[in-house]
Amino acid sequence: MAYLLQVDFTMDGPFGVEMAEGLQNLARSINDEEGFIWKIWTEDATAKQASGVYLFDSKESAEKYLTMHSARLTSFGITNIRGKIFEVNETLSTINHGPIQK
């Protein structure tokens, strides 16, 4: 069973190309997290918000990552961090072309 983790927070930047250039090492390191399958990075520079949507192979892996990532974001001075974990309904997600991979 797959679990989706949604994390969002407010921040002053960087966004766009600067974010992509500055966070490449962080992005690569996420690939090594236990149970990690994929991540979608999102941002809204106007609203000063960023988020990530992740897929993990277990609830425990998603919870562990959320705890670690929240601490990391806090160490960057980011506050107002919100994280939610959802069980993925793989049958319905597959009908709608959801990228459910393990």
Side-chain angles (χ1 to χ4, degrees), residues 4-21:
L4 187 115
L5 168 61
Q6 174 187 321
V7 179
D8 64 275
F9 48 89
T10 55
M11 68 177 214
D12 291 328
F15 295 101
V17 173
E18 291 150 356
M19 180 187 218
E21 290 173 355

Side-chain angles (χ1 to χ4, degrees), residues 24-90:
Q24 287 186 24
N25 287 336
L26 173 61
R28 287 184 187 96
S29 74
I30 293 169
N31 292 332
D32 298 327
E33 294 296 329
E34 179 183 330
F36 174 79
I37 300 171
W38 55 253
K39 176 181 181 180
I40 304 288
W41 295 68
T42 65
E43 59 186 87
D44 182 342
T46 303
K48 295 189 175 188
Q49 294 181 326
S51 71
V53 180
Y54 308 74
L55 191 68
F56 285 90
D57 67 4
S58 72
K59 186 174 184 180
E60 295 75 24
S61 293
E63 289 170 339
K64 182 179 175 183
Y65 183 82
L66 176 58
T67 299
M68 180 279 298
H69 189 49
S70 295
R72 176 172 48 205
L73 290 170
T74 300
S75 78
F76 295 160
I78 294 172
T79 59
N80 200 23
I81 303 161
R82 294 171 299 275
K84 288 186 171 185
I85 298 172
F86 301 92
E87 186 175 310
V88 175
N89 185 310
E90 295 182 23

